[in-house]
Amino acid sequence: MKLPFSRRNAELENMNRILTDAARKKAERIKEVEDQVAQFEHQVAHLKQALESARKRESELEVAATQRAHLLNEKDKEIAALREVLTQRAPLAGLREVLAQRAHLLNDKDEELAGLREVLTQRAHLLNDCEVLTQRAHLLNEKDEELAGLREALTKSSLRIQELENPLFKIAQK
């Protein structure tokens, strides 16, 4: 009579071993998944900090871009006023010096704009969803084109001054 119970007992022990192994493997897998989840949560927290830092920097860049835009607008007004004064009453000899100074100032502003554009471009790559930075970069490009046009006009004015000075010098030499 012991034989049927022994076989049944052996089967139950075997099943118990199989279930224990499966439970142990399941617990190990749960532990692995929990570790991965914790790692992902840590990465998400790190990425959130990086995103917050990038957003803060974006805000700072927006303020800087706004300040630069105001400065460019002021410089545009100054250049327009200077152009009007120069066309009305500036002596030819002084005009070349003023134009050279303005050209130098425009070159300085171009360098500042190039630096700002580089920073904005870098931040735009970091923040693909930041359309504001892209729009600011377009605005800076437009200002660059305007400055290039102004530089060309200044160059033409300088050449015209030289053309006007040549007869004056010939007259002065006689």
Side-chain angles (χ1 to χ4, degrees):
M1 286 208 167
K2 287 186 175 183
L3 194 54
F5 289 115
S6 294
R7 182 190 297 154
R8 179 72 179 149
N9 193 26
E11 287 175 0
L12 289 174
E13 286 179 6
N14 189 34
M15 285 184 183
N16 191 28
R17 226 177 290 116
I18 291 170
L19 288 173
T20 302
D21 285 346
R24 182 182 45 78
K25 288 178 182 178
K26 191 64 145 178
E28 289 173 359
R29 180 64 184 141
I30 289 171
K31 176 69 174 137
E32 288 175 6
V33 169
E34 286 175 347
D35 289 346
Q36 286 178 347
V37 167
Q39 185 179 14
F40 289 144
E41 287 174 347
H42 177 72
Q43 289 175 352
V44 166
H46 179 71
L47 290 173
K48 282 181 180 178
Q49 288 176 346
L51 179 61
E52 184 62 33
S53 175
R55 284 185 177 155
K56 182 179 178 183
R57 182 66 181 145
E58 173 194 3
S59 177
E60 292 170 356
L61 289 172
E62 283 181 24
V63 169
T66 301
Q67 290 172 347
R68 296 290 181 181
H70 288 301
L71 181 61
L72 284 172
N73 288 338
E74 289 174 13
K75 293 303 174 189
D76 285 344
K77 289 177 185 176
E78 287 179 23
I79 289 170
L82 178 63
R83 187 179 296 124
E84 186 175 328
V85 168
L86 290 176
T87 57
Q88 291 176 0
R89 57 190 163 136
L92 294 177
L95 182 59
R96 179 183 292 141
E97 181 179 331
V98 171
L99 290 174
Q101 291 172 352
R102 291 301 177 174
H104 181 69
L105 178 62
L106 287 173
N107 288 337
D108 290 346
K109 293 303 173 189
D110 279 349
E111 290 175 13
E112 288 179 21
L113 288 172
L116 183 58
R117 185 180 307 104
E118 181 178 335
V119 169
L120 288 173
T121 302
Q122 290 170 355
R123 295 302 177 195
H125 289 302
L126 293 175
L127 304 167
N128 288 330
D129 297 333
C130 294
E131 292 180 10
V132 172
L133 288 177
T134 304
Q135 292 170 356
R136 298 291 180 181
H138 288 300
L139 177 62
L140 288 172
N141 285 336
E142 290 172 7
K143 289 299 179 181
D144 277 350
E145 291 174 12
E146 290 176 21
L147 289 172
L150 288 174
R151 187 177 298 103
E152 186 177 334
L154 288 172
T155 301
K156 287 179 181 178
S157 295
S158 180
L159 291 174
R160 179 66 179 143
I161 289 170
Q162 287 177 351
E163 290 174 7
L164 293 173
E165 282 180 345
N166 285 337
L168 290 176
F169 285 133
K170 288 179 183 178
I171 292 169
Q173 290 175 350
K174 288 181 181 180

